[in-house]
Amino acid sequence: MPRFFNTLTRRKDEFTSREPGVVRMYTCGPTVYRYAHIGNMRTYLMADAVRRLLETQGYRVEHAKNITDVGHMRQDMVERGEDKMIAAALKEGKTLDEIAAFYTEAFRSDETKLNILPAMVFPKATEHVPQMIDVAQRLVDRGYAYVVDGNVYFDVARYEKYGQLSGNQLGNLLQGVRVEVDPLKRNQTDFALWKAAEPGRMVKWPSPWGEGFPGWHIECSAMSTAYLGQQLDIHTGGVDNIFPHHEDELAQSEGAFGGQFVRYWMHGQHLLADGLKMAKSTGNSYTLSELEAQGFEPLAFRYLCLTAHYRSRLNFTFQGLRAALRALARLRTYIRSWTLDERRLTPEELDAVSAPWRRRFWGHVEDDLRLPDAIGEVWKLADSDLPGPAKLDLVRDFDRVLGLDLARLTGPLPPLPVHVRGLLEQRREPRDRGHYPQADALRESVRDSGYEVRDTAGATVALPRDPAFAPDKLVGT
């Protein structure tokens, strides 16, 4: 039974779903005004690992991941460039729809490259404004929100449990959190559910309170409940979402629908870059396409993320990424070599030798996604004297959560080209006689042909070199 660290309870809680066999999971998705940077992608990799683990345990995971394609700021902030959706459209001379469609496709492509399982639904904020209005109206009707001059505000003082997720208690909050002082609010800690449209604003919708546009937090409450129901099992996001976004989302959802909104809140820590938080201003908010342009394959970044626990900060460097790429290539070579082991095991023998490895690996994963320990178990397996067929069977099993696409390497190898077979034959005699300089020169000839030479106890074999591992392609190598 998996245990996850729950931000709400501040401890590891054993996971059970409300409905047996079904998990309803919501992930805060991207705001599609630019390419997602790799810090964003680390958070989505964490959610992917959660889902993969639950699916290996037989759950059907109903997963929704929203697309924020709407601006939330007032016209004066739009004109200062602070509303990033609208600012991006103005800068590129495109409509909001065109900007959103382009960067949504780029995000989906990045997820595919990283082997992130696609959510069952990617609801767009602009297509769910009526649902947002409905949630806001429910809050007004239930006394949790009030209307002033066409604006709808959530009354934080009315919700007694405010602060339960972040620990920010109402009495200690400073006025004007994250926004300028708003004279229309009863208290400056209140937050907007709906904002009245100012003169000159183009992006707006009709509502019971006049033309306007939604606040930032209301969209997730509306879209998650529209697709997953009013009570969710798991909600994921980055630590920067905890306050105010998730705190406010929790308050308005429970205010609107009653009962507990989310049972397990899970948050991933920051990915730093050269010791600094990723930001456009510091020039270190790298994208996946930028890593690819420097010769790195996306799964090397996925491997790098496996080396640090999701609740720990991970410092990204290109040196670290190069090490991850080399480790992944080495692991792939190991797997290819195991396919050449012709030993045969009965199902009973396979179960007997594999059981301790499965128990240790899945024990790490089920204990709040201790993936660094799990990948360490894979390396212990690689160095063990377990028969190759058993190693292959275990790798197929483990990759269901690692997501490194290792299973594709466990099939039969294609035949060697004639000239590579000839080089191996030529190498045999000098190696047997101890003429190692000549044998090493022939090994390099095999490498130049795209193969790695592996000398095993029973034979010398040549394995296709991993196409991702090409050090001459890497900047700074």
Side-chain angles (χ1 to χ4, degrees), residues 436-450:
Y436 295 117
Q438 184 181 354
D440 289 345
L442 289 165
R443 176 194 286 268
E444 287 305 310
S445 295
V446 174
R447 280 180 56 84
D448 291 343
S449 298

Side-chain angles (χ1 to χ4, degrees), residues 120-245:
M120 282 62 179
V121 62
F122 290 87
K124 297 178 181 179
T126 53
E127 296 176 358
H128 294 81
V129 174
Q131 289 88 340
M132 299 176 202
I133 292 172
D134 288 345
V135 174
Q137 186 64 63
R138 286 177 68 97
L139 288 166
V140 172
D141 295 342
R142 291 168 64 90
Y144 285 99
Y146 55 94
V147 182
V148 181
D149 295 344
N151 301 278
V152 184
Y153 297 100
F154 185 87
D155 189 346
V156 170
R158 175 75 172 77
Y159 184 74
E160 296 179 354
K161 294 188 293 183
Y162 192 83
Q164 62 181 316
L165 186 66
S166 65
N168 288 316
Q169 298 303 311
L170 183 58
N172 298 327
L173 290 176
L174 297 174
Q175 286 193 344
V177 174
R178 289 193 62 162
V179 294
E180 297 176 2
V181 172
D182 186 343
L184 301 180
K185 294 181 180 180
R186 293 176 183 172
N187 296 289
Q188 289 307 305
T189 51
D190 297 346
F191 56 89
L193 304 171
W194 185 263
K195 302 176 184 180
E198 319 89 309
R201 183 178 183 88
M202 300 297 295
V203 184
K204 56 188 177 182
W205 291 266
S207 81
W209 317 289
E211 289 188 329
F213 55 102
W216 175 29
H217 316 296
I218 194 69
E219 67 175 73
C220 285
S221 293
M223 289 188 284
S224 64
T225 55
Y227 290 94
L228 302 174
Q230 296 175 3
Q231 283 82 39
L232 314 183
D233 292 301
I234 299 175
H235 195 310
T236 70
V239 291
D240 51 328
N241 291 141
I242 297 174
F243 186 84
H245 183 45

Side-chain angles (χ1 to χ4, degrees), residues 8-28:
L8 184 65
T9 62
R10 294 165 180 77
R11 65 171 183 259
K12 291 182 186 179
D13 290 335
E14 190 172 279
F15 178 79
T16 57
S17 60
R18 278 192 177 86
E19 180 182 341
V22 179
V23 176
R24 294 180 172 87
M25 176 176 169
Y26 183 79
T27 295
C28 271

